[in-house]
Amino acid sequence: MERQPAGAQTANVADAAIVQEVVVEVGRRIVGQNYMIERLLISILTGGHVLLEGVPGLAKTLAVRTLSETISTIFQRIQFTPDLLPADILGTQIYDQSNGKFSVKKGPIFANIILADEINRAPAKVQSALLEAMQEKQVTIGGTTYRLDEPFLVLATQNPIEQEGTYPLPEAQVDRFMLKLHVGYPSKDEEKEILRRMASGEPIPVKHVATPEAILAARRHIAELYMDDRIVDYIVDIVHATRDPASANLKDLAPLIEFGGSPRATLSLAQASRAHAFLRNRAFVTPDDVKAIAPDVLRHRILRTYEAEAEEVTSDMIVQRVLEAIPTP
């Protein structure tokens, strides 16, 4: 039985109950995909953006839309295409001939949850238009800055198979995503259940069980969850080992890593670990929380060398080696 460390605060029962209700409602539409749903909840509970990678048809869009419905937030889906312009996302100024003045027409970015579908299909100019919104939670149109309402999340999808007509995401933008998820196929039993539920062709209704205010309150409680200094050191050691593998007795990884995780990775790993503990009704963070979420936080922040690509060494393999090498507190 896990003992609560001295100094740990009591978990907020009301917040935990709301989150469980959200999980139940999302489960009415989404069969399986527990990993994806839990990570999406972690993003909602921390305010971190998510990059979802998986082939079409795995319910990525449906999961995001359903999550938005259960929380009663404003949802906008943006289909990224090669001819998309920054103004199509952010908005633009429109000239009114009747009064000779310009007025601002706000774009779809002014919502709570943004689904950026196939984000790698848009050119760099459009992708960079999201940077200010994702990091600063604000948008500038015609020299005027507009704050975005909280909660504000960008949940982006990309197809890992089709490369024709796509543009690689800039490293600066990839680093803005707290998590990168690899979404896989359902099991046979799960696929049978999908067939059964979707047989009628009618949409499955879900209830609004949470509000943006409740989510923001849960965020504040999660930020206060107890994290021992040894866990803090553990997180820093993990991220530092991706930059300097030799310091963790992983000299063989040095030729495979071009760049490791940034300080933003350290912050994201700490925040996501707290949310992971919260979803398990704990008021303190354990090393297992860090290990569970570390691949999702680090896989897109480790830039591999050509040698690593030639040897087919993935970022996940590198993260796993690092986790095995760093002593668990």
Side-chain angles (χ1 to χ4, degrees):
M1 182 177 179
E2 284 182 321
R3 295 178 60 189
Q4 181 167 314
Q9 299 183 8
T10 303
N12 190 284
V13 178
D15 291 340
I18 290 173
V19 171
Q20 290 304 317
E21 288 180 17
V22 170
V23 172
V24 170
E25 290 302 313
V26 173
R28 295 183 189 278
R29 281 188 187 165
I30 309 298
V31 179
Q33 300 292 12
N34 295 328
Y35 158 79
M36 176 176 66
I37 293 171
E38 181 180 76
R39 273 25 179 199
L40 289 177
L41 281 172
I42 287 175
S43 75
I44 291 284
L45 294 169
T46 57
H49 309 294
V50 178
L51 182 60
L52 296 143
E53 187 174 86
V55 298
L58 297 180
K60 300 186 296 295
T61 301
L62 181 62
V64 174
R65 185 185 296 275
T66 303
L67 191 61
S68 175
E69 288 182 31
T70 61
I71 303 174
S72 302
T73 52
I74 300 173
F75 172 81
Q76 287 284 3
R77 177 180 178 272
I78 305 173
Q79 181 65 52
F80 279 62
T81 57
D83 60 348
L84 203 66
L85 298 174
D88 296 328
I89 298 174
L90 306 181
T92 187
Q93 289 185 311
I94 297 177
Y95 181 72
D96 189 347
Q97 290 183 341
S98 63
N99 57 22
K101 295 181 180 180
F102 284 94
S103 61
V104 173
K105 178 178 173 58
K106 294 181 178 180
I109 197 72
F110 289 89
N112 297 120
I113 296 181
I114 307 295
L115 176 62
D117 223 348
E118 294 189 287
I119 190 172
N120 56 334
R121 286 202 173 277
K125 184 181 291 186
V126 175
Q127 293 172 2
S128 64
L130 284 176
L131 284 178
E132 183 183 17
M134 291 173 65
Q135 186 61 30
E136 307 297 336
K137 307 293 178 72
Q138 64 184 28
V139 167
T140 302
I141 304 174
T144 303
T145 300
Y146 301 88
R147 296 292 302 176
L148 298 171
D149 293 334
E150 288 282 7
F152 173 75
L153 289 172
V154 174
L155 307 177
T157 69
Q158 64 178 13
N159 182 354
I161 298 176
E162 194 172 0
Q163 300 300 324
E164 186 176 351
T166 62
Y167 301 82
L169 297 181
E171 294 301 324
Q173 184 173 359
V174 170
D175 196 43
R176 259 70 175 186
F177 289 100
M178 172 185 273
L179 307 175
K180 180 181 179 181
L181 311 183
H182 285 164
V183 184
Y185 290 108
S187 66
K188 284 185 177 181
D189 289 339
E190 290 170 347
E191 203 150 358
K192 288 179 183 177
E193 179 63 17
I194 292 171
L195 281 174
R196 188 186 67 78
R197 291 193 191 182
M198 302 301 175
S200 65
E202 295 295 326
I204 300 172
V206 294
K207 299 177 182 177
H208 302 305
V209 295
T211 63
E213 291 75 21
I215 295 300
L216 294 177
R219 283 186 188 178
R220 290 190 289 271
H221 289 122
I222 288 171
E224 296 170 355
L225 289 189
Y226 178 77
M227 182 177 286
D228 192 88
D229 287 342
R230 290 173 296 176
I231 301 295
V232 174
D233 292 337
Y234 184 52
I235 290 173
V236 172
D237 288 343
I238 289 172
V239 178
H240 187 77
T242 66
R243 306 174 202 155
D244 182 16
S247 65
N249 295 320
L250 292 169
K251 293 182 180 180
D252 58 315
L253 289 184
L256 306 179
I257 302 174
E258 189 79 34
F259 294 102
S262 69
R264 191 180 284 121
T266 308
L267 295 171
S268 295
L269 186 52
Q271 291 172 327
S273 297
R274 281 191 169 100
H276 191 271
F278 175 82
L279 291 177
R280 280 149 184 77
N281 297 317
R282 274 190 276 102
F284 57 94
V285 180
T286 69
D288 287 339
D289 294 316
V290 179
K291 289 179 180 179
I293 204 70
D296 304 309
V297 172
L298 295 174
R299 65 165 55 99
H300 55 299
R301 292 184 163 100
I302 295 176
L303 187 61
R304 297 173 298 150
T305 62
Y306 288 114
E307 182 177 341
E309 294 179 8
E311 295 180 7
E312 298 184 346
V313 176
T314 65
S315 296
D316 281 353
M317 293 177 183
I318 294 173
V319 173
Q320 189 58 42
R321 287 284 309 279
V322 168
L323 292 177
E324 291 171 354
I326 302 298
T328 302

